[in-house]
Amino acid sequence: MILKKLTLENFLAHRRTEVEFSEKGITVFIGDNGAGKSSIIEGITYGLFGRTERGNIADLISWGRNRAVVRLEFKKGQQEYMVERIISLRGKKASASSTVYIKKKGSYIPYYQKNISKELPRLTGLTYKTFTTSVLVKQGDIEGLLDLPPKKRAEVFEEILDMSVYQLIVEQSAQKRRELQASVEALKTASAGRKEVEEELGKVKEEISRLEKEVEKLSQKLKEEEEKLEKGKADYEKLLKEKEENLKIKSSVEGWKKLIQSLTGQINEKTGMLERIKQAEKELPPLEKAVEELSLLEKKLESLKEKQLLAEKLKSLTEKLEQIGEKEKQVEENREKAERYLQGEKLLKELKEKVKAGEKLKGEKAGLENQIKGINQKQEKLLEALSQVLQNLLKIKKSYLILKENPLMVSQFIQNNREKVENLKEELNRIKEKKGRLKGEGEALKKRLENLSGMEGSCPTCSRPIEEHTRQELKRELEEELSKKREEYKQLNDREKEVERELAREEKAGELLKKYEELYGRYRELEEQKREVKSKLSALENRLAKLEEAYSREKEVEKELSSLKEAYQLFIEGERFLKGTDRKKVEKEIGKINARLEELSRQTGKEEEKTLQEKIKKLKEKEKRYINLKGLISEKENVERELKRLTEEVKQLESKINETIPLIKDEERIEEQLAELKEKLKKESESIKSLSEHVSRLKSEIGRLQGKKETLERELEKLLQAEKKVAQMEEKIEKYKKVETALGHGGIQKVIRENALYELPRITNLIFSIFGFPFQQVRFSENFDISLLAPTVERTDRYVPVSSLSGGQRVALGLALRMAIGRFLSSKANFLILDEPTVHLDQQRRTDLVNILIGMKEKNLVNQLILVTHDTEVEDGADSIYYVEKGTVKPVS
């Protein structure tokens, strides 16, 4: 596999970068520190694996952008592919999508879009681990493996070969096995009393059966007693109803008697009223003549009053006619000024609308200014809160001071804090787990000591006799081991407290950082609001400037209207008066009133109103007496009819009383029967209550025994489950033992280590020998110590350490070892990436490195070499050169 082309858009320092790699040869990227060279390597890494060492993908997007794209084109055999990865930022959340394309007929078409993290390594033959250990050589890391001491180098190789993973599995398996063994012992001890539980459960079931039979017998008897009681209650209710019915009858008779008394009083009253009506009929005829005379006199008095009213109305109409003439003159004199006033008022209205709009705009302006003031106040409070939170953060860690200059760093701090908290929690869990294991091991040692102290005669394990000095020696060994466990437990306890304190600090810092992020987010939202409000305020001020002319014109028109206002009001007053009056109608009304006055003078003659009123007053008393008597006489028919009805109703009530009295029963006899029944019911109720209480006690006892039964059944079930679980756990213990054997130092780890100790030196030797250095063999010791077989005239072999090699030889050996690791891990990559390979090298070694790289190209050790450096010495051996400056890549022709 070789790389063909890399395209970066808004990725780290690169806005838009395209680079093409030489398919055979060396591609060099040269630039100063911070120019964006290493971003190209990160682009290749992210393109191939969808991750980099930065962790958070949001950090890969260029500042101020919300989308980054990486496209990496590569060739596998004769087929070309392209992987495209897109990172999108929405708010604070970043998401990534990926697609792999295949080239068909000169164009890329989608190949697959799902499970890319699994499918792409299968296609390229590269895993992230293989890439970072064999293809990518980081700054100053060419001779890194050679410089390590053998023990550290062995640890690195074991890590590369995943041996540490196998060892971790072995340790975890052993820990699980020990835990299971401890659990098995505990379960066996706990399940020892199963027989006793079964016997107790049998006894409880027998007692429950006996009590249930007794309850059934008593319940039947209780049912019979309750039926008997119900019958007695029914008889009691029947007697009560009979008593109630008797009382109702007596009450009805008493009520009818009272009603007869009331009706008799009404009959007497109606009889007296008939006598008064007969007297009134005799008195009525003389009063009728006086009422007729009163009617004639009242008509004459009304005519006199009408004559007076018409005279007053005539005077008023004459005055109104004169007023009409005056108003007609007033209207004509002020008409021209009123027209000018109306025109000015119309103009003023238009101007006022403009001014009103201006006032509204002023109000809006004031509102916007208040908004800005309010936003500023909120921002000041937020800044105070941010400062307070920062002060609290600085008490925890001084590195948070950077937030004062760059608050946007808070998201990175939150991510770092989250990772730190997770790591501390994991460490805390590991400590607690280890403490638990140590506690279990300590308890086991204590038990062994106790057993040893009480041991006499022979060993319980091998049956051999135990001498006193042997017992003491064993006891001392166990006590020493127990002491070590206690010391280790104490150290773990101290570390646990230290981690808990650090975790508390980090969790507090996490809370403060989240609060800081929230406050800063609100501050930025307010800043955006303020910007929008200021934009609106500027637009309002422009509109207000255009309305200034309307303000000055408004005052001129108001002054002119003030001078015309009095004339306009006189005109309007006259117009309004004339509109509501009609001259001809008034004149016609005056004529009608004069005619009616002449007619009334003829009717009334010269008789005065006072004389008429005195006569009418005398006749009014007689009229009043006439009306009263007439009303009384009109009631005659109703009184006679009501008197007849009352007499008939009294007869009916007397008849009902005579019929009902024989139906009334003896109250004393009913009361005696009720008392006898009540006493009988009381005794039966007490008997039932006694039976019910006895049944309840028995049921309560059954309930208690049922609870005990359920508890025993659960306990028995637990014991049976425990026995079953012991069998399952013992089976698991055997499986864990097999895992420990298979994956332990004597199993697969041994196979991998022996294979690596054979293959790695062989492959390294093959590659290293191509450079033509005077060494015959590269050898690895059991501990991965590296030495080389040097030629000698002596017959015995002479191996020299890596430290005796020259600078160029060390560089060549370091690269050969890197490539050997890649081939051993089945890497199908035919390219090598070196990040700042000349860093920390002196002049001679830089020259040697350049010559070795050229030699690697010429001897086809690797098809493609990609170098990122700030050193221009590598230019001479390069096939393609790119200069990188501030995220811009320029090819050198």
Side-chain angles (χ1 to χ4, degrees), residues 256 260 264 647-660:
W256 292 337
I260 287 170
T264 304
T647 305
E648 185 64 30
E649 192 173 344
V650 167
K651 287 179 181 179
Q652 289 175 358
L653 286 169
E654 287 173 344
S655 175
K656 282 173 79 174
I657 288 168
N658 293 331
E659 290 172 0
T660 306

PDB file of all heavy atoms in Angstrom, residues 256 260 264 647-660:
ATOM      1  N   TRP A 256    -105.305  16.613  61.982  1.00  0.00           N
ATOM      2  CA  TRP A 256    -106.624  16.899  61.408  1.00  0.00           C
ATOM      3  C   TRP A 256    -107.478  17.715  62.385  1.00  0.00           C
ATOM      4  O   TRP A 256    -108.214  18.606  61.965  1.00  0.00           O
ATOM      5  CB  TRP A 256    -107.344  15.590  61.073  1.00  0.00           C
ATOM      6  CG  TRP A 256    -106.648  14.846  59.927  1.00  0.00           C
ATOM      7  CD1 TRP A 256    -105.855  15.367  58.987  1.00  0.00           C
ATOM      8  CD2 TRP A 256    -106.707  13.445  59.693  1.00  0.00           C
ATOM      9  NE1 TRP A 256    -105.362  14.392  58.149  1.00  0.00           N
ATOM     10  CE2 TRP A 256    -105.898  13.182  58.559  1.00  0.00           C
ATOM     11  CE3 TRP A 256    -107.354  12.364  60.301  1.00  0.00           C
ATOM     12  CZ2 TRP A 256    -105.720  11.897  58.038  1.00  0.00           C
ATOM     13  CZ3 TRP A 256    -107.190  11.095  59.767  1.00  0.00           C
ATOM     14  CH2 TRP A 256    -106.375  10.861  58.655  1.00  0.00           C
ATOM     15  N   ILE A 260    -109.134  21.394  61.751  1.00  0.00           N
ATOM     16  CA  ILE A 260    -110.563  21.701  61.878  1.00  0.00           C
ATOM     17  C   ILE A 260    -110.746  22.981  62.687  1.00  0.00           C
ATOM     18  O   ILE A 260    -111.572  23.843  62.333  1.00  0.00           O
ATOM     19  CB  ILE A 260    -111.317  20.514  62.533  1.00  0.00           C
ATOM     20  CG1 ILE A 260    -111.438  19.360  61.538  1.00  0.00           C
ATOM     21  CG2 ILE A 260    -112.709  20.940  63.024  1.00  0.00           C
ATOM     22  CD1 ILE A 260    -111.958  18.062  62.151  1.00  0.00           C
ATOM     23  N   THR A 264    -112.536  26.337  61.259  1.00  0.00           N
ATOM     24  CA  THR A 264    -113.709  26.910  61.947  1.00  0.00           C
ATOM     25  C   THR A 264    -113.507  28.410  62.147  1.00  0.00           C
ATOM     26  O   THR A 264    -114.437  29.220  61.968  1.00  0.00           O
ATOM     27  CB  THR A 264    -113.914  26.202  63.307  1.00  0.00           C
ATOM     28  OG1 THR A 264    -114.041  24.799  63.103  1.00  0.00           O
ATOM     29  CG2 THR A 264    -115.151  26.725  64.019  1.00  0.00           C
ATOM     30  N   THR A 647    -116.645  24.889  54.838  1.00  0.00           N
ATOM     31  CA  THR A 647    -117.636  24.077  55.562  1.00  0.00           C
ATOM     32  C   THR A 647    -117.547  22.627  55.115  1.00  0.00           C
ATOM     33  O   THR A 647    -117.572  21.695  55.927  1.00  0.00           O
ATOM     34  CB  THR A 647    -119.049  24.637  55.316  1.00  0.00           C
ATOM     35  OG1 THR A 647    -119.070  26.022  55.664  1.00  0.00           O
ATOM     36  CG2 THR A 647    -120.102  23.886  56.148  1.00  0.00           C
ATOM     37  N   GLU A 648    -117.415  22.413  53.797  1.00  0.00           N
ATOM     38  CA  GLU A 648    -117.313  21.063  53.229  1.00  0.00           C
ATOM     39  C   GLU A 648    -116.034  20.356  53.714  1.00  0.00           C
ATOM     40  O   GLU A 648    -116.057  19.173  54.054  1.00  0.00           O
ATOM     41  CB  GLU A 648    -117.312  21.164  51.697  1.00  0.00           C
ATOM     42  CG  GLU A 648    -117.341  19.814  50.976  1.00  0.00           C
ATOM     43  CD  GLU A 648    -118.629  19.054  51.244  1.00  0.00           C
ATOM     44  OE1 GLU A 648    -119.682  19.695  51.466  1.00  0.00           O
ATOM     45  OE2 GLU A 648    -118.551  17.811  51.256  1.00  0.00           O
ATOM     46  N   GLU A 649    -114.919  21.100  53.771  1.00  0.00           N
ATOM     47  CA  GLU A 649    -113.622  20.524  54.179  1.00  0.00           C
ATOM     48  C   GLU A 649    -113.656  20.084  55.644  1.00  0.00           C
ATOM     49  O   GLU A 649    -113.117  19.020  55.999  1.00  0.00           O
ATOM     50  CB  GLU A 649    -112.505  21.556  53.974  1.00  0.00           C
ATOM     51  CG  GLU A 649    -111.118  20.955  54.102  1.00  0.00           C
ATOM     52  CD  GLU A 649    -110.026  21.943  53.721  1.00  0.00           C
ATOM     53  OE1 GLU A 649    -110.313  22.984  53.073  1.00  0.00           O
ATOM     54  OE2 GLU A 649    -108.853  21.674  54.075  1.00  0.00           O
ATOM     55  N   VAL A 650    -114.333  20.846  56.510  1.00  0.00           N
ATOM     56  CA  VAL A 650    -114.470  20.479  57.922  1.00  0.00           C
ATOM     57  C   VAL A 650    -115.235  19.171  58.055  1.00  0.00           C
ATOM     58  O   VAL A 650    -114.856  18.278  58.838  1.00  0.00           O
ATOM     59  CB  VAL A 650    -115.154  21.609  58.705  1.00  0.00           C
ATOM     60  CG1 VAL A 650    -115.600  21.133  60.106  1.00  0.00           C
ATOM     61  CG2 VAL A 650    -114.233  22.802  58.841  1.00  0.00           C
ATOM     62  N   LYS A 651    -116.325  19.007  57.268  1.00  0.00           N
ATOM     63  CA  LYS A 651    -117.112  17.776  57.310  1.00  0.00           C
ATOM     64  C   LYS A 651    -116.270  16.570  56.921  1.00  0.00           C
ATOM     65  O   LYS A 651    -116.352  15.508  57.546  1.00  0.00           O
ATOM     66  CB  LYS A 651    -118.328  17.895  56.375  1.00  0.00           C
ATOM     67  CG  LYS A 651    -119.413  18.813  56.891  1.00  0.00           C
ATOM     68  CD  LYS A 651    -120.565  18.904  55.900  1.00  0.00           C
ATOM     69  CE  LYS A 651    -121.674  19.857  56.394  1.00  0.00           C
ATOM     70  NZ  LYS A 651    -122.774  19.958  55.397  1.00  0.00           N
ATOM     71  N   GLN A 652    -115.420  16.738  55.858  1.00  0.00           N
ATOM     72  CA  GLN A 652    -114.569  15.632  55.386  1.00  0.00           C
ATOM     73  C   GLN A 652    -113.554  15.219  56.450  1.00  0.00           C
ATOM     74  O   GLN A 652    -113.306  14.023  56.664  1.00  0.00           O
ATOM     75  CB  GLN A 652    -113.838  16.047  54.111  1.00  0.00           C
ATOM     76  CG  GLN A 652    -114.739  16.146  52.904  1.00  0.00           C
ATOM     77  CD  GLN A 652    -114.001  16.676  51.678  1.00  0.00           C
ATOM     78  OE1 GLN A 652    -112.814  17.007  51.755  1.00  0.00           O
ATOM     79  NE2 GLN A 652    -114.717  16.776  50.552  1.00  0.00           N
ATOM     80  N   LEU A 653    -112.913  16.175  57.111  1.00  0.00           N
ATOM     81  CA  LEU A 653    -111.909  15.887  58.135  1.00  0.00           C
ATOM     82  C   LEU A 653    -112.525  15.162  59.332  1.00  0.00           C
ATOM     83  O   LEU A 653    -111.935  14.228  59.892  1.00  0.00           O
ATOM     84  CB  LEU A 653    -111.237  17.179  58.614  1.00  0.00           C
ATOM     85  CG  LEU A 653    -110.243  17.810  57.620  1.00  0.00           C
ATOM     86  CD1 LEU A 653    -109.849  19.207  58.079  1.00  0.00           C
ATOM     87  CD2 LEU A 653    -108.993  16.930  57.492  1.00  0.00           C
ATOM     88  N   GLU A 654    -113.711  15.560  59.744  1.00  0.00           N
ATOM     89  CA  GLU A 654    -114.398  14.899  60.858  1.00  0.00           C
ATOM     90  C   GLU A 654    -114.694  13.453  60.520  1.00  0.00           C
ATOM     91  O   GLU A 654    -114.563  12.553  61.355  1.00  0.00           O
ATOM     92  CB  GLU A 654    -115.698  15.655  61.194  1.00  0.00           C
ATOM     93  CG  GLU A 654    -115.422  16.991  61.899  1.00  0.00           C
ATOM     94  CD  GLU A 654    -116.681  17.826  62.096  1.00  0.00           C
ATOM     95  OE1 GLU A 654    -117.698  17.517  61.427  1.00  0.00           O
ATOM     96  OE2 GLU A 654    -116.645  18.788  62.885  1.00  0.00           O
ATOM     97  N   SER A 655    -115.063  13.214  59.240  1.00  0.00           N
ATOM     98  CA  SER A 655    -115.348  11.852  58.795  1.00  0.00           C
ATOM     99  C   SER A 655    -114.073  10.994  58.845  1.00  0.00           C
ATOM    100  O   SER A 655    -114.104   9.840  59.289  1.00  0.00           O
ATOM    101  CB  SER A 655    -115.895  11.887  57.364  1.00  0.00           C
ATOM    102  OG  SER A 655    -116.071  10.581  56.879  1.00  0.00           O
ATOM    103  N   LYS A 656    -112.909  11.533  58.364  1.00  0.00           N
ATOM    104  CA  LYS A 656    -111.637  10.802  58.361  1.00  0.00           C
ATOM    105  C   LYS A 656    -111.201  10.460  59.783  1.00  0.00           C
ATOM    106  O   LYS A 656    -110.678   9.354  60.046  1.00  0.00           O
ATOM    107  CB  LYS A 656    -110.541  11.633  57.681  1.00  0.00           C
ATOM    108  CG  LYS A 656    -110.636  11.597  56.183  1.00  0.00           C
ATOM    109  CD  LYS A 656    -109.652  12.551  55.526  1.00  0.00           C
ATOM    110  CE  LYS A 656    -108.279  11.968  55.499  1.00  0.00           C
ATOM    111  NZ  LYS A 656    -107.323  12.816  54.746  1.00  0.00           N
ATOM    112  N   ILE A 657    -111.373  11.389  60.723  1.00  0.00           N
ATOM    113  CA  ILE A 657    -111.001  11.152  62.122  1.00  0.00           C
ATOM    114  C   ILE A 657    -111.787   9.975  62.688  1.00  0.00           C
ATOM    115  O   ILE A 657    -111.237   9.087  63.351  1.00  0.00           O
ATOM    116  CB  ILE A 657    -111.210  12.418  62.966  1.00  0.00           C
ATOM    117  CG1 ILE A 657    -110.149  13.469  62.610  1.00  0.00           C
ATOM    118  CG2 ILE A 657    -111.134  12.120  64.476  1.00  0.00           C
ATOM    119  CD1 ILE A 657    -110.422  14.853  63.170  1.00  0.00           C
ATOM    120  N   ASN A 658    -113.085   9.942  62.408  1.00  0.00           N
ATOM    121  CA  ASN A 658    -113.948   8.877  62.915  1.00  0.00           C
ATOM    122  C   ASN A 658    -113.526   7.512  62.351  1.00  0.00           C
ATOM    123  O   ASN A 658    -113.623   6.486  63.029  1.00  0.00           O
ATOM    124  CB  ASN A 658    -115.416   9.170  62.579  1.00  0.00           C
ATOM    125  CG  ASN A 658    -115.933  10.406  63.332  1.00  0.00           C
ATOM    126  OD1 ASN A 658    -115.452  10.703  64.438  1.00  0.00           O
ATOM    127  ND2 ASN A 658    -116.888  11.119  62.761  1.00  0.00           N
ATOM    128  N   GLU A 659    -113.070   7.507  61.078  1.00  0.00           N
ATOM    129  CA  GLU A 659    -112.657   6.250  60.443  1.00  0.00           C
ATOM    130  C   GLU A 659    -111.283   5.774  60.953  1.00  0.00           C
ATOM    131  O   GLU A 659    -111.021   4.568  61.017  1.00  0.00           O
ATOM    132  CB  GLU A 659    -112.575   6.434  58.926  1.00  0.00           C
ATOM    133  CG  GLU A 659    -113.930   6.610  58.274  1.00  0.00           C
ATOM    134  CD  GLU A 659    -113.811   6.994  56.804  1.00  0.00           C
ATOM    135  OE1 GLU A 659    -112.636   7.125  56.313  1.00  0.00           O
ATOM    136  OE2 GLU A 659    -114.825   7.191  56.137  1.00  0.00           O
ATOM    137  N   THR A 660    -110.348   6.686  61.316  1.00  0.00           N
ATOM    138  CA  THR A 660    -108.954   6.349  61.643  1.00  0.00           C
ATOM    139  C   THR A 660    -108.760   5.938  63.092  1.00  0.00           C
ATOM    140  O   THR A 660    -107.899   5.093  63.391  1.00  0.00           O
ATOM    141  CB  THR A 660    -108.048   7.557  61.323  1.00  0.00           C
ATOM    142  OG1 THR A 660    -108.253   7.946  59.983  1.00  0.00           O
ATOM    143  CG2 THR A 660    -106.564   7.221  61.524  1.00  0.00           C
TER     144      THR A 660
END
